[in-house]
Amino acid sequence: MSEPRVNELMEKIVSLCKRRGFVFQSSEIYGGINGFWDYGPLGAELKRNVKELWWTSMTRRRDDVVGLEATIIMHPQIWRASGHVDTFSDPMCDCLLTRKRFRADQIELQSGTAYHYTGARDTAAGRAVTEPYAVLLPAGKPPESARKTASEFYRLRGLAQPELEGERMEKVENSQRFNPDNGSLLTEPRPFNLMFKTYVGPVADEDNVAYLRPETAQAIFVQFKNVADTSRQKVPFGIAQMGKAFRNEVTPRNFTFRSREFEQMELEFFIQPDEVVEALCGTVATPSGPGHPGEPQRNWGWQMWHQYWVEERIRFYDAIGLPRTTLEEYWQKPEELAHYARATVDLLFKFPFGTQELEGIAARSDFDLSQHERFSGKSQGVFDEDLRTAWGKLPEERRQELSGRYHDARLKYLLRAGVPAEQAAKDAREDADGLAKGQYMPHVIEPSAGVDRLILALVANAYSETTTTDEKGKTEVRTVMRFHPTVAPVKVGVFPLLKNKPELVAKAREVHGLLRGDMLAFYDEAGAIGRRYARQDEAGTPFCVTIDFDTLGETPALKDTVTIRHRDDGRQERLSIAALKDYLIARVR
Ligand code: GAP
């Protein structure tokens, strides 16, 4: 088996995705639309399998997580409370010559000589433009080239025959101020909010502005109370949601990796603040080392829960075919953390274009619920009778200590949130006094994954090529998608050995009918059996079943048996039709 070179791999993946119907460019017949992708028949199945596996492992297999399915458009105030209206932006700049748009922080660093101009004059027409401009040339390029570009710039501003003015040269190192394609000066970076805006109702004015959600998380926070009240869950518990999210990315790139419309799978797992755990359990457990900390315990603090969810998520990826060795854990440095986050671990995957984030697991403190409490004016805290009882039994010194710590954390949040100092002090005191009444604001651990990125990671990880040589010495390179059986779009191919033998076809149809209610089974009778295997290998189908003359009883001992061929090693085994369904179900679910 040969590994394609990294720089070719992405092209091969994109081409396979289109050729086999995994991913198509959105609106392709109209020239496409940048940052939007459609999933074809195989891609839709792959995506559905991945989401189903996430949902099952996150909700149905757990007692402490329930689901939610919220709307994409929500009250615009939610995005003020979450900080998205004010801060969810990327720095953006444009080329002054071509108007091409860049994300200012992603422009590659350039060095060379910058040629600055104060303006230009068209003597014949008696007109001048005083807008300054500059062009960066790499070392060794003649100044004439800068002058040509600058003349073009002033021509675009209305001068037919510009004479450049005030030329000045400057050595520049590691600059992001010039277009890497043509050396032209870029506009100053300016913040660009990534939320897609729309209007609700017939009047398109500021009063009716709404946003397409840029993450699924906020709906979970704003429905926290309803879910807690109706599901009979008690903190610690989680709410899971998957669905579309929209971000008007400045530069969508790397196929589906950074899209403008994508899907997220998010869990908000609500936990007790450490002070509450201590009041209830005496002490709070913290991690004693790396690795999975085991089954959740009542005395876990936020660090244990955080580590638990990092490990749970790694186990999930491992179970669906992205082994631990394909992932990297990146602990964000303190200066990289969002202001509300206590710790964030990014799970990175080695994509063909570089090692990049697949999922983030953030310890978000009590920021989100607190924000929604302030903005909505509705209490988001919880009441816990056990806490009230435990608090009553604590020695006074311990109460002082715990409520002091809780007070300080609340005060810090309130001041950061911009609450005036006097009000913040009053509110923090009230919050701390609430502990005695069994009241507190839950904290949150958030594992947040992108469906599309995961699909891309699974496709990249599954992609492999095999070279076969036939009897005549002719070699052929074939693609085999080595998907884990649980995510593979088609689970089994069903073939009659020959299509012109009605008995074989009838039996193969019967076997296909037997399987299709429980898994995606693909019937194929066209072409030589080797070709049919190759087509299924390319689709990533883990098993192929062939109905031959022995199935019909030519060798009596083999009557009603079929051969199962395994995609990854080409191994074949004989199995009775009666045992086939259970055999496959055990491997593909
Ligand atoms: N609620 C937290 C949150 O949304 P994020 O890191 O911005 O955090 C979480 O997004 C995940 O969503 C990312 O790890 C990634 O998998 C996916 N994601 C984010 N932006 C994306 C985009 N433009 N295209 C595809 N997936 C994206």
Side-chain angles (χ1 to χ4, degrees), residues 35 84 88 214-218 221 245-249 252-253 256-266 268 317 332 340 346-347 357-360 362 364 446-454:
H84 284 82
F88 192 57
E215 60 172 21
T216 55
Q218 293 305 320
F221 296 126
F246 302 81
R247 297 182 188 179
N248 199 0
E249 299 283 356
R253 53 162 76 179
T256 55
F257 179 82
R258 192 177 302 287
S259 310
R260 287 178 165 142
E261 176 176 337
F262 55 98
E263 276 190 85
Q264 288 186 315
M265 306 183 288
E266 297 198 293
E268 305 303 328
Y317 289 120
Q332 288 189 10
Y340 49 78
D346 291 335
L347 293 182
E357 178 186 330
L358 186 62
E359 164 160 359
R364 294 176 68 111
E446 178 196 64
S448 170
V451 182
D452 309 78
R453 275 191 199 177
L454 177 50

Side-chain angles (χ1 to χ4, degrees), residues 28 31 45 64 66 73 101 106 121 127 176 219 242 271 298 327 329 344 380 501 513 546 567:
E28 194 188 281
E45 290 293 339
D64 57 359
V66 289
I73 293 178
R101 186 150 287 181
Q106 286 179 347
R121 177 175 302 281
R127 290 192 54 222
Q176 291 184 306
M242 20 185 217
I271 57 171
R298 286 194 62 193
L327 302 174
E329 257 177 66
T344 298
Q380 297 299 305
K501 294 284 173 212
T546 303
R567 175 197 65 204

Side-chain angles (χ1 to χ4, degrees), residues 129-189:
V129 170
T130 52
E131 188 181 340
Y133 182 63
V135 183
L136 182 73
L137 292 185
K141 259 206 151 186
E144 215 27 65
S145 159
R147 289 176 197 140
K148 210 169 139 205
T149 307
S151 299
E152 186 55 32
F153 168 80
Y154 289 110
R155 232 173 261 126
L156 288 172
R157 271 139 189 87
L159 302 187
Q161 290 181 323
E163 285 168 30
L164 301 173
E165 297 195 317
E167 184 178 84
R168 173 176 67 82
M169 281 182 277
E170 181 201 10
K171 284 264 169 277
V172 166
E173 285 206 10
N174 298 330
S175 171
Q176 291 184 306
R177 293 284 295 119
F178 299 90
N179 181 344
D181 305 333
N182 60 12
S184 169
L185 187 67
L186 301 164
T187 58
E188 286 287 342

Side-chain angles (χ1 to χ4, degrees), residues 17 132 152 181 265 274 329 401 414 528 564 588:
C17 281
E152 186 55 32
D181 305 333
M265 306 183 288
D274 281 8
E329 257 177 66
E401 189 221 326
L414 289 161
I564 292 199
V588 302

Side-chain angles (χ1 to χ4, degrees), residues 34-267:
N34 200 6
F36 297 87
W37 300 94
D38 293 340
Y39 288 82
L42 289 181
E45 290 293 339
L46 177 60
K47 204 174 184 197
R48 194 168 275 263
N49 292 343
V50 164
K51 290 198 295 184
E52 188 68 25
L53 286 161
W54 184 87
W55 188 258
T56 303
S57 82
M58 285 303 215
T59 66
R60 294 185 185 150
R61 294 224 170 108
R62 300 188 63 101
D63 295 329
D64 57 359
V65 178
V66 289
L68 178 75
E69 182 135 350
T71 58
I72 284 167
I73 293 178
M74 300 187 287
H75 197 292
Q77 195 67 350
I78 287 173
W79 306 111
R80 290 196 184 84
S82 67
H84 284 82
V85 168
D86 289 335
T87 59
F88 192 57
S89 55
D90 280 338
M92 178 192 78
C93 58
D94 304 312
C95 173
L96 282 167
L97 198 62
T98 61
R99 299 231 168 97
K100 184 174 167 187
R101 186 150 287 181
F102 294 88
R103 232 179 92 170
D105 56 336
Q106 286 179 347
I107 295 170
E108 64 194 64
L109 300 177
Q110 299 160 79
S111 303
T113 307
Y115 290 79
H116 293 266
Y117 303 92
T118 53
R121 177 175 302 281
D122 186 338
T123 331
R127 290 192 54 222
V129 170
T130 52
E131 188 181 340
Y133 182 63
V135 183
L136 182 73
L137 292 185
K141 259 206 151 186
E144 215 27 65
S145 159
R147 289 176 197 140
K148 210 169 139 205
T149 307
S151 299
E152 186 55 32
F153 168 80
Y154 289 110
R155 232 173 261 126
L156 288 172
R157 271 139 189 87
L159 302 187
Q161 290 181 323
E163 285 168 30
L164 301 173
E165 297 195 317
E167 184 178 84
R168 173 176 67 82
M169 281 182 277
E170 181 201 10
K171 284 264 169 277
V172 166
E173 285 206 10
N174 298 330
S175 171
Q176 291 184 306
R177 293 284 295 119
F178 299 90
N179 181 344
D181 305 333
N182 60 12
S184 169
L185 187 67
L186 301 164
T187 58
E188 286 287 342
R190 56 197 184 282
F192 171 72
N193 195 297
L194 299 185
M195 284 196 294
F196 279 99
K197 235 184 194 182
T198 187
Y199 300 94
V200 173
V203 184
D205 65 11
E206 280 307 300
D207 290 342
N208 296 311
V209 165
Y211 303 95
L212 305 193
R213 67 182 178 200
E215 60 172 21
T216 55
Q218 293 305 320
I220 298 179
F221 296 126
V222 300
Q223 291 293 4
F224 166 71
K225 278 294 214 180
N226 276 336
V227 174
D229 291 348
T230 55
S231 62
R232 301 183 53 212
Q233 289 283 350
K234 206 176 151 206
V235 177
F237 80 98
I239 305 175
Q241 177 171 223
M242 20 185 217
K244 291 273 188 181
F246 302 81
R247 297 182 188 179
N248 199 0
E249 299 283 356
V250 179
T251 47
R253 53 162 76 179
N254 292 329
F255 198 24
T256 55
F257 179 82
R258 192 177 302 287
S259 310
R260 287 178 165 142
E261 176 176 337
F262 55 98
E263 276 190 85
Q264 288 186 315
M265 306 183 288
E266 297 198 293
L267 169 70

Side-chain angles (χ1 to χ4, degrees), residues 446-503:
E446 178 196 64
S448 170
V451 182
D452 309 78
R453 275 191 199 177
L454 177 50
I455 298 293
L456 187 55
L458 289 169
V459 167
N461 194 55
Y463 188 94
S464 70
E465 293 176 348
T466 54
T467 306
T468 52
T469 309
D470 66 17
E471 319 81 58
K472 294 177 193 146
K474 199 174 145 219
T475 58
E476 189 186 6
V477 178
R478 287 183 180 177
T479 304
V480 182
M481 296 299 288
R482 298 183 191 279
F483 289 123
H484 191 279
T486 54
V487 297
V490 180
K491 306 299 187 193
V492 58
V494 180
F495 314 147
L497 184 63
L498 299 169
K499 77 166 175 186
N500 55 1
K501 294 284 173 212
E503 323 85 271

